[in-house]
Amino acid sequence: MKGMFYKDLISITKIYRSMFLIILVFLTASFITKGNLFWASYAAFIGCTMVATMQNMDETSKWCRLCDALPITRSDLVKEKFLLNTMINLGIIGVYLVMCLIAMVFRRAPEPGDILVTLVTMWIAGMVSSSFTLTAAFLFGPQKSQLMRVVMIVVFVMVCMSLINYVPGFMEFLKNANTIIIIPLALALPVVIQLISILISSAGFEKRVL
């Protein structure tokens, strides 16, 4: 699995450098606009859907067929991509935290409650979105999964904008909710969804003809 990580890290640094610049722009926008929840969450969303694009590229370039001749299983490929996704999501969340600390020095940081809600939402956005996009990539291949990812982006934007702009008191509700129950549940539920996605993806990918 270390070799697969190494290959994907090279792909990220050579192919997706501009994507990380876009993510940084979105994170920066979260500090200069009132809708920080949307911009930061969207940064996590596009960062994690990038892994599904990498999987589609692996199939298109016949890398996955080459892996069938190596002493690794397709299930290993699935687990590596999901683990890479989690690492990217945590990395983006870490960058947001560092930006919050820098903003605190200049007294430009959001309120602590806003930061907590944003962090949890970023975690959910990254983990849940990748669960669907990666599962689609493994089950249906590059062409169909690309269409499904576009649909998911549209749905994500519509839901976030509706919650932020049209539901009165949404942010206040999240900040004032019972954090002892809500936050652990919000952190654990995406993990459960991703574990289920790994099982489904592994089973379906093993049966696919590449």
Side-chain angles (χ1 to χ4, degrees):
M1 188 170 289
K2 291 182 180 178
M4 291 186 288
F5 272 120
Y6 180 69
K7 187 273 296 180
D8 284 340
L9 289 176
I10 291 177
S11 298
I12 289 174
T13 55
K14 289 189 175 181
I15 302 175
Y16 295 104
R17 284 178 293 184
S18 59
M19 183 67 73
F20 285 106
L21 179 61
I22 294 172
I23 291 172
L24 186 60
V25 170
F26 282 137
L27 291 178
T28 303
S30 70
F31 289 93
I32 60 178
T33 62
K34 293 182 179 180
N36 56 36
L37 177 65
F38 170 77
W39 292 112
S41 301
Y42 195 66
F45 174 84
I46 63 174
C48 291
T49 55
M50 175 177 62
V51 182
T53 303
M54 294 177 61
Q55 171 57 28
N56 288 335
M57 290 181 60
D58 284 350
E59 282 200 43
T60 304
S61 64
K62 309 301 181 183
W63 165 259
C64 293
R65 292 184 62 181
L66 174 63
C67 288
D68 285 340
L70 300 177
I72 55 176
T73 65
R74 292 188 180 182
S75 180
D76 292 331
L77 292 175
V78 172
K79 294 174 183 176
E80 184 268 337
K81 282 294 189 295
F82 275 95
L83 183 57
L84 176 65
N85 166 83
T86 302
M87 293 171 61
I88 290 176
N89 195 21
L90 291 174
I92 295 172
I93 291 173
V95 171
Y96 177 79
L97 274 174
V98 171
M99 294 176 71
C100 286
L101 293 175
I102 295 174
M104 286 178 183
V105 176
F106 298 97
R107 298 184 179 181
R108 297 287 185 178
E111 295 294 327
D114 291 337
I115 295 176
L116 179 60
V117 171
T118 301
L119 290 173
V120 173
T121 307
M122 289 175 69
W123 171 255
I124 295 173
M127 296 292 281
V128 174
S129 63
S130 63
S131 294
F132 286 100
T133 55
L134 265 175
T135 300
F138 284 117
L139 294 182
F140 305 112
Q143 294 182 346
K144 292 182 179 179
S145 63
Q146 289 280 11
L147 177 60
M148 295 178 67
R149 183 160 63 253
V150 171
V151 172
M152 188 168 184
I153 290 174
V154 173
V155 171
F156 178 85
V157 173
M158 290 178 62
V159 170
C160 283
M161 294 307 294
S162 297
L163 290 175
I164 293 170
N165 295 326
Y166 302 110
V167 179
F170 173 70
M171 288 288 292
E172 291 300 321
F173 167 76
L174 291 178
K175 286 187 290 185
N176 297 328
N178 189 340
T179 56
I180 297 178
I181 298 176
I182 297 297
I183 291 182
L185 182 62
L187 294 176
L189 188 58
V191 176
V192 174
I193 293 174
Q194 189 138 112
L195 290 174
I196 295 173
S197 299
I198 291 174
L199 294 176
I200 296 174
S201 299
S202 297
F205 195 48
E206 289 282 359
K207 297 178 181 179
R208 276 188 58 209
V209 178
L210 300 179

